[in-house]
Amino acid sequence: MMEIRHDPVAPTRTQSLAPGGSIDAHRHDDHQIIYAGRGVLAVTTSEGSWVAPGTRAIWVPAGTVHAHRAYGELDLHLVGLPATENPLGLNAPTVLAVSPLLRELIIEYTRAHDDDSPERARLRTVLLDQLRASPQQPLHLPTPTAPLLRTLCDILRADPGDSRTLAELGREIGASDRALSRLFRSDLGMTFPQWRTQLRLHHALVLLTERTPVTAVAHRCGWSSTSAFIDVFRRAFGHTPGSHRRAEVTYDPRPEAVRIARSAGNAD
């Protein structure tokens, strides 16, 4: 059995990962917020994978074994929080929407993690307030445990553009579409179309990070038309695939977050 690395303290820091770079499976005794200021980040656990572009962050609860993978040049921002401090009340990995303000707060906070100044304490308070207000996003791709589902899902992971129906896929693996539909609900907590859409969105993010044209992404991910892909992508991520590169802008640190924290302290 592979030994899982145990790093008791979840670090607060900024680091870079090259395209395809990864951090192997490990766990912390602390909670952690993981944010990619540039590139697309995938976090994988035994229960599935979560993917986050620059408008999303991932909450990883204390004790969760997880691994990271970078798609594109990744600027990784990590915020560790004690296990006794759970501002979100979440006990499972979750994708969170990141507003422009929260983005600045995370990047500023992770830049100087050894600073114990009152200003930094106020910055942290505002960051946690913004986290509490962050909407949760359904961007989880669960991993099946049922052998039949594992076989079917592996087929689609190998080719997210495979457009066969559940009945057609079932014939390949020797199961009825009715039985498979029940398994999707009982094992994964979602329907087959929901799971396949999540898979395609994950794959689309990776392709867009590799600068694949939008029309080609739509085709390779199995959407019937480019417009259908754009519509689903916009509803999931809040911006169009064409503007995805602009949504991933390389961050130029500015003092707004510090100014906001200072103002919050002066308001007491």
Side-chain angles (χ1 to χ4, degrees):
M1 178 183 294
M2 182 181 67
E3 184 175 351
I4 301 299
R5 180 162 50 91
H6 177 210
D7 298 330
V9 177
T12 295
R13 65 169 183 249
T14 299
Q15 69 183 91
S16 298
L17 285 177
S22 62
I23 299 175
D24 60 3
H26 61 285
R27 63 183 175 89
H28 307 293
D29 295 336
D30 297 335
H31 304 304
Q32 193 169 52
I33 300 152
I34 305 171
Y35 174 68
R38 179 176 60 158
V40 170
L41 167 70
V43 172
T44 301
T45 76
S46 61
E47 296 180 359
S49 60
W50 288 257
V51 65
T55 55
R56 304 291 186 267
I58 300 176
W59 166 265
V60 178
T64 302
V65 176
H66 60 289
H68 310 302
R69 181 174 175 81
Y71 295 97
E73 294 284 347
L74 192 70
D75 291 338
L76 190 62
H77 300 273
L78 304 170
V79 178
L81 295 173
T84 54
E85 187 170 7
N86 188 336
L88 301 171
L90 296 172
N91 296 314
T94 305
V95 174
L96 305 170
V98 174
S99 66
L101 172 57
L102 181 55
R103 173 185 170 89
E104 289 205 24
L105 290 165
I106 291 173
I107 291 174
E108 183 66 29
Y109 188 75
T110 56
R111 198 192 323 174
H113 54 87
D114 292 328
D115 179 5
D116 294 326
S117 66
E119 182 177 86
R120 178 171 170 78
R122 293 193 294 270
L123 178 67
R124 185 179 188 276
T125 298
V126 178
L127 190 158
L128 294 181
D129 284 343
Q130 288 297 307
L131 274 175
R132 292 184 187 97
S134 295
Q136 298 175 30
Q137 304 290 314
L139 298 174
H140 173 211
L141 187 68
T143 298
T145 58
L148 275 174
L149 279 195
R150 284 203 300 268
T151 300
L152 186 151
C153 291
D154 285 346
I155 291 171
L156 294 179
R157 286 180 188 274
D159 179 15
D162 189 330
S163 61
R164 283 179 290 175
T165 66
L166 188 58
E168 291 169 332
L169 290 164
R171 282 195 289 273
E172 178 173 336
I173 64 174
S176 70
D177 57 342
R178 179 175 295 182
L180 290 171
S181 291
R182 286 196 298 267
L183 277 176
F184 267 98
R185 289 189 175 88
S186 62
D187 194 21
L188 302 181
M190 59 176 58
T191 66
F192 169 65
Q194 288 171 333
W195 189 91
R196 179 151 66 179
T197 296
Q198 294 291 74
L199 172 68
R200 289 174 170 178
L201 285 170
H202 283 212
H203 191 55
L205 281 172
V206 173
L207 293 176
L208 290 168
T209 301
E210 295 170 350
R211 301 181 184 275
T212 307
V214 172
T215 300
V217 173
H219 174 71
R220 289 170 62 177
C221 292
W223 270 279
S224 59
S225 67
T226 302
S227 60
F229 166 52
I230 291 171
D231 181 59
V232 173
F233 191 95
R234 182 193 291 112
R235 284 190 277 113
F237 297 112
H239 58 271
T240 65
S243 64
H244 182 70
R245 294 300 303 176
R246 294 192 295 277
E248 290 189 293
V249 292
T250 301
Y251 192 76
D252 181 16
R254 295 174 290 168
E256 281 88 336
V258 175
R259 173 180 58 76
I260 290 163
R262 184 181 297 117
S263 299
N266 292 337
D268 293 339

